[in-house]
Amino acid sequence: MIPLRDRNPRRRISVPAVTLLLIAANVALFAYELSLGPRLETRLLAAAFVPARLHVGGGLLPALAAVRQGLVSALVSMFLHGGILHLAGNMLFLWIFGDNVEDRLGHLRFLVFYLVAGLAATGAHAWANPHSQVPAIGASGAISGVLGAYLVLYPRARIVTMIFLGFFIRLVELPAVVFLPIWFLMQFMSGVASLHGAPGGPGTADGGVAWFAHIGGFLAGPLLLFLLDRRPRMA
């Protein structure tokens, strides 16, 4: 089930500048990753968020330093990706759903929303997988927050969706109130299943997907929307 576009024109802004800048930043960082060649793995391990690094001994000061470094790495990790398909899928979702949420919140509040949703998603991943040594990268946690907000704001918006039925592909239009809960249910079921012995540790799947980052980001979206947008809702 892949979204291709939505039928939900913007009403307040002509150009979703922050959405475009976020996409550009993700693409630029991925190009930088490719330029690293054999140094990529070492650089990613150093820069990415690793839940186990939050657990340090030695008292209050080392713990505070670990938390500070964890916040920095969580922000950096939002703009790193593990491959072209990882990047392309995330940017597709961000483009389809991000411009309307930015239209609603405005540029600056949308940027704050996106970054905080990403931090909340990373926190959910760390909670589900506290001792993992595996680096967590990708924009999907922050984008999940965008999806959660979109569901609240535009439940009747139509999403043009590609559905795979065995060897057949069909295009259908689904309202957001159908598409997004199905998407969330898929993440939730995968996350629950991953708690029972996935190779990457609790909270991850065989392919290393941080399901609880998706779950946490999606749930954080409506809460952040409530905090940042007090205008009447519109569908």
Side-chain angles (χ1 to χ4, degrees):
M1 191 173 74
I2 301 175
L4 300 179
R5 62 184 182 276
D6 65 345
R7 301 192 186 281
N8 189 11
R10 296 185 296 273
R11 306 181 187 185
R12 295 185 174 90
I13 61 174
S14 57
V15 177
V18 172
T19 299
L20 291 172
L21 285 173
L22 288 170
I23 292 173
N26 278 278
V27 172
L29 262 292
F30 184 70
Y32 173 71
E33 290 178 50
L34 295 179
S35 75
L36 292 175
R39 298 172 294 164
L40 175 59
E41 185 175 350
T42 301
R43 293 288 184 88
L44 280 183
L45 184 61
F49 178 80
V50 178
R53 291 176 183 162
L54 295 177
H55 304 281
V56 297
L60 179 61
L61 290 181
L64 290 176
V67 170
R68 179 182 63 82
Q69 183 57 40
L71 289 173
V72 172
S73 62
L75 287 170
V76 172
S77 295
M78 289 184 215
F79 297 92
L80 302 174
H81 287 84
I84 187 65
L85 292 180
H86 187 202
L87 173 71
N90 279 343
M91 295 306 99
L92 175 65
F93 271 75
L94 179 56
W95 172 246
I96 292 173
F97 299 102
D99 67 318
N100 293 110
V101 179
E102 181 179 353
D103 185 48
R104 176 67 183 190
L105 292 177
H107 303 306
L108 180 58
R109 284 186 295 174
F110 177 67
L111 178 60
V112 172
F113 171 95
Y114 182 90
L115 295 176
V116 176
L119 291 176
T122 302
H125 171 64
W127 170 81
N129 204 9
H131 302 295
S132 174
Q133 299 280 356
V134 180
I137 59 175
S140 55
I143 295 168
S144 297
V146 173
L147 302 186
Y150 191 102
L151 176 60
V152 172
L153 290 171
Y154 309 106
R156 294 196 293 271
R158 310 294 291 187
I159 313 299
V160 179
T161 307
M162 182 185 296
I163 296 180
F164 298 89
L165 302 171
F167 293 104
F168 300 97
I169 298 175
R170 184 175 180 183
L171 294 182
V172 299
E173 284 193 18
L174 299 175
V177 73
V178 172
F179 177 90
L180 292 173
I182 291 175
W183 179 89
F184 177 75
L185 182 61
M186 292 168 62
Q187 313 309 303
F188 182 80
M189 292 176 64
S190 297
V192 171
S194 75
L195 293 176
H196 301 284
T204 63
D206 293 352
V209 178
W211 299 112
F212 278 89
H214 300 178
I215 295 167
F218 190 90
L219 295 177
L223 175 60
L224 291 171
L225 185 67
F226 174 78
L227 295 174
L228 292 171
D229 178 25
R230 296 303 181 91
R231 288 176 291 184
R233 298 285 178 256
M234 59 186 179

